Amino acid sequence: MRKLSRRHKENIEKTNQTIYSTLEEAIEVLKSTATTKFVETVELHANLNIDPKYADQQLRTTVTLPNGVGKQVRIAVLTDEGNFAEAESAGADIVGNDSLIEQITQGNIEFDLLITTPNMMPKLAKLGRVLGPKGLMPSPKSGTVTSNLDSTLTEFKKGKFEYKADKTGIVHVSFGKADFENDKLVENLTALYKSIEQNRPSGVKGKYFKSLFICTTMGSSIQLDLDIFAS
């Protein structure tokens, strides 16, 4: 059995067998577990009472957190040449059409997000096996298929991002960095929770949230009381 490091043992002692009922205390403990030499990401792991194999129990949506997540997103835009100037002026990092499709086909994916105009979707269909597993396939539901490149790019540059529940019904999503101020992490976590709650799938019966945990990249998990956001 692998031996636990002293740092990890100390983190476990801070969080073990405790369910936190106030966000301020939970965030304070969360930040105390970020003891590595790099700035750790902070994450929410929400276990939901859904079965994503059914269409009416799937969760996939977008959210813009009030204080961002501390990450610069590199955005590519696939569109007609006539839209290149609009995309570039709105902040796109990569703009292209057939040449961009060819790069993606060859595995040259140098972006974190792909936005496209509706007329390019038929050409993208063949790239589903490349982009799908990486979560990069544009879709109208995620807001990445659009006719208004200017406003869409502005939103995503401000920090808008997509999240979804995995096949077991758990949402794994970051809500900032460990060096954010405490109140900013509280604001982000609250906004993220409300987004998940407001996008409750229509097929959910009874209780929606089964458990809520937060953690840093290398820290121990911290369990939150399910009523922590009620106040």
Side-chain angles (χ1 to χ4, degrees), residues 54-109:
Y54 298 107
D56 64 351
Q57 294 190 44
Q58 295 175 359
L59 174 64
R60 182 178 181 180
T61 188
T62 57
V63 66
T64 303
L65 299 184
N67 304 296
V69 293
K71 177 183 178 183
Q72 292 295 320
V73 179
R74 188 168 171 80
I75 302 177
V77 173
L78 178 65
T79 187
D80 292 327
E81 191 170 345
N83 296 322
F84 282 11
E86 178 187 0
E88 289 170 350
S89 65
D93 300 287
I94 301 171
V95 180
N97 44 31
D98 292 339
S99 60
L100 179 56
I101 290 176
E102 183 60 28
Q103 289 179 29
I104 296 171
T105 302
Q106 294 174 0
N108 297 325
I109 300 176

Side-chain angles (χ1 to χ4, degrees), residues 60-64 141-144 155-156 160-163 195 199:
R60 182 178 181 180
T61 188
T62 57
V63 66
T64 303
K141 191 170 183 179
S142 68
T144 48
E155 288 177 352
F156 280 105
K160 182 179 181 179
F161 64 90
E162 181 186 33
Y163 67 88
S195 173
N199 287 281

Side-chain angles (χ1 to χ4, degrees), residues 45-210:
H45 301 273
N47 189 359
L48 306 178
N49 183 30
I50 61 175
D51 188 346
K53 72 180 180 182
Y54 298 107
D56 64 351
Q57 294 190 44
Q58 295 175 359
L59 174 64
R60 182 178 181 180
T61 188
T62 57
V63 66
T64 303
L65 299 184
N67 304 296
V69 293
K71 177 183 178 183
Q72 292 295 320
V73 179
R74 188 168 171 80
I75 302 177
V77 173
L78 178 65
T79 187
D80 292 327
E81 191 170 345
N83 296 322
F84 282 11
E86 178 187 0
E88 289 170 350
S89 65
D93 300 287
I94 301 171
V95 180
N97 44 31
D98 292 339
S99 60
L100 179 56
I101 290 176
E102 183 60 28
Q103 289 179 29
I104 296 171
T105 302
Q106 294 174 0
N108 297 325
I109 300 176
E110 300 178 352
F111 51 84
D112 305 303
L113 179 73
L114 179 61
I115 294 173
T116 186
T117 44
N119 64 308
M120 301 300 288
M121 283 303 289
K123 293 185 177 182
L124 264 182
K126 65 179 182 180
L127 297 178
R129 290 184 178 180
V130 178
L131 296 173
K134 298 180 182 295
L136 294 173
M137 190 67 178
S139 72
K141 191 170 183 179
S142 68
T144 48
V145 178
T146 178
S147 297
N148 192 334
L149 291 174
D150 184 53
S151 64
T152 300
L153 278 161
T154 299
E155 288 177 352
F156 280 105
K157 280 293 184 179
K158 285 183 178 179
K160 182 179 181 179
F161 64 90
E162 181 186 33
Y163 67 88
K164 63 180 180 179
D166 66 16
K167 63 182 180 180
T168 65
I170 301 175
V171 174
H172 309 274
V173 61
S174 66
F175 61 95
K177 296 286 187 179
D179 62 351
F180 279 23
E181 295 176 6
N182 289 23
D183 60 338
K184 294 187 183 301
L185 288 177
V186 169
E187 289 173 0
N188 277 1
L189 181 56
T190 302
L192 182 55
Y193 174 86
K194 288 181 177 179
S195 173
I196 298 172
E197 186 178 45
Q198 292 166 1
N199 287 281
R200 173 180 175 135
S202 60
V204 175
K205 305 298 181 185
K207 184 173 67 174
Y208 183 29
F209 290 92
K210 294 167 68 175

